[in-house]
Amino acid sequence: TAHQIGTPLSSVIGWLEIMKADNVDETTVSEIEKDINRLQTITDRFSKIGSEPILEEKNVIEETEQSFDYLKSRFSHQVEFSFKAPKYPVIIALNPTLHSWTIENLVKNAIDAMKGKGKLSVVIEDEPHQLKIRVSDTGKGIQKNQFKKIFEPGFTTKKRGWGLGLSLTKRIVEDYHKGKIKVLHSEINKGTTIQITFKKQF
């Protein structure tokens, strides 16, 4: 998949350079460039499946906010986005590509649960020994007996899809980053909060 996407992507990068040379509106070029970078990130994700990811010392707040901002700019204004985090960097051993996948999966699931309309918040809390990321929505909610099931491969409430999104997210968080992910709170027709916990580096 990474190889197949790579070929047309290289061509699009070439067209972008032509647009720059032709002095096409800077905002348009900048937004297309963001989408190209996102496609390169996606091909990078596919190429990493099956291999042990390399973790780097990264500012988890900045990495999370970058993914959040990209998604916010590409979804309907019927979703009210909010992001709250400390103003200082918090360094954690992360794989940036896979972490962005985690945030994307959680945000997209939240938007699906709200059918594209509602409030979505990402809150990062810095504690002495750990860091918590909470993604909350005002969607349809999850039954208590499904809190653990939603992370199992094949579990889905959608009419289409393989139910792999949250199981991959759990694998990225727990197997690769040695963190924890769980449904912190959910109420039917009121919303859900999913929490990721990372141990801090010392």
Side-chain angles (χ1 to χ4, degrees):
T1 306
H3 185 71
Q4 292 295 320
I5 294 173
T7 307
L9 197 52
S10 300
S11 173
V12 173
I13 291 166
W15 285 110
L16 189 68
E17 292 307 314
I18 291 169
M19 288 171 73
K20 285 179 183 175
D22 288 347
N23 295 316
V24 172
D25 177 55
E26 272 185 38
T27 308
T28 304
V29 172
S30 169
E31 288 304 315
I32 293 171
E33 205 157 20
K34 285 179 189 174
D35 287 330
I36 287 172
N37 290 337
R38 176 56 57 153
L39 282 167
Q40 287 177 316
T41 299
I42 290 165
T43 59
D44 193 29
R45 289 171 185 169
F46 280 122
S47 68
K48 280 181 167 59
I49 291 174
S51 61
E52 194 68 28
I54 296 163
L55 302 183
E56 305 167 49
E57 300 287 307
K58 289 284 185 182
N59 175 6
V60 67
I61 293 170
E62 183 183 18
E63 294 294 331
T64 305
E65 191 167 16
Q66 280 176 2
S67 293
F68 176 84
D69 286 346
Y70 176 84
L71 294 162
K72 179 183 174 181
S73 68
R74 275 150 180 79
F75 277 99
S76 160
H77 292 300
Q78 288 187 301
V79 178
E80 190 182 316
F81 286 86
S82 72
F83 183 88
K84 188 180 174 186
K87 300 296 181 191
Y88 52 85
V90 178
I91 306 302
I92 280 180
L94 278 184
N95 181 287
T97 304
L98 294 180
H99 180 66
S100 74
W101 199 352
T102 296
I103 300 304
E104 189 173 311
N105 272 338
L106 294 180
V107 167
K108 284 184 173 178
N109 269 13
I111 291 169
D112 281 347
M114 298 188 294
K115 295 184 178 173
K117 187 177 181 180
K119 293 180 180 178
L120 186 147
S121 73
V122 173
V123 176
I124 302 179
E125 277 191 3
D126 181 26
E127 296 181 354
H129 300 289
Q130 58 191 12
L131 179 126
K132 291 175 178 175
I133 302 173
R134 288 198 288 271
V135 179
S136 303
D137 64 61
T138 54
K140 62 186 178 183
I142 303 163
Q143 300 277 4
K144 196 153 192 174
N145 63 359
Q146 293 181 342
F147 279 17
K148 288 185 178 175
K149 279 186 185 175
I150 64 165
F151 297 106
E152 292 174 6
F155 181 86
T156 181
T157 57
K158 298 174 193 170
K159 288 179 181 175
R160 59 183 180 83
W162 292 338
L164 292 176
L166 285 176
S167 66
L168 274 171
T169 303
K170 182 180 170 75
R171 186 171 178 181
I172 291 166
V173 170
E174 299 196 350
D175 294 355
Y176 294 153
H177 291 96
K178 308 304 176 197
K180 290 283 178 193
I181 186 167
K182 67 177 182 179
V183 177
L184 183 67
H185 177 75
S186 189
E187 275 188 69
I188 299 301
N189 299 322
K190 287 195 176 177
T192 299
T193 299
I194 289 185
Q195 178 174 282
I196 298 169
T197 306
F198 291 125
K199 288 179 185 171
K200 284 167 68 174
Q201 306 299 301
F202 297 100

